[in-house]
Amino acid sequence: MSMAEAMRDADFVLINGVMCETAYLRLPDEDMVPDDIVLEARHGDTEIAFIRADFDGAQYLGDGEYRLSSGYQLRFLTGATLH
C-alpha cells in the first residue's frame, strides 16, 4: 500500500500509538516544497504538524503503518459509517 493510498480520506491518524484526529491532510505531490504542511492532527489540546520533508524516506512497516525518518510511526485510519 502506498502512503498516498493510506492517507486518502483518513479521519484519524495513530501517531506512536496515540489516536489523533486529522485536522488537515494534503497528499504529497510534485508541486509541494519540503516545508509545505502535509498533516496536522489533534489529540485533546495537543496539536502536531508534519511537513512534506518529514515523509521523505518513510518506511512501510505493514498493516498500513509507516515509520518516518524522524522516528514517528503513523497509521492512517478512516471512521466507520453505520447505515
Side-chain angles (χ1 to χ4, degrees):
M1 172 185 291
S2 74
M3 185 173 288
E5 288 176 292
M7 292 174 72
R8 190 174 317 281
D9 301 323
D11 301 309
F12 303 95
V13 60
L14 196 62
I15 302 173
N16 289 346
V18 177
M19 183 68 70
C20 299
E21 181 180 3
T22 303
Y24 173 81
L25 180 65
R26 178 177 173 194
L27 298 179
D29 60 36
E30 63 277 347
D31 295 329
M32 297 181 83
V33 297
D35 288 338
D36 284 344
I37 292 178
V38 172
L39 171 66
E40 291 179 344
R42 289 188 295 260
H43 178 76
D45 291 334
T46 303
E47 295 184 4
I48 189 166
F50 294 95
I51 59 175
R52 208 258 7 246
D54 292 325
F55 290 84
D56 292 344
Q59 293 179 303
Y60 182 62
L61 302 175
D63 200 27
E65 191 166 4
Y66 294 84
R67 179 179 295 124
L68 305 183
S69 57
S70 62
Y72 281 100
Q73 286 187 216
L74 307 179
R75 184 172 183 206
F76 298 94
L77 306 164
T78 56
T81 302
L82 300 175
H83 296 277

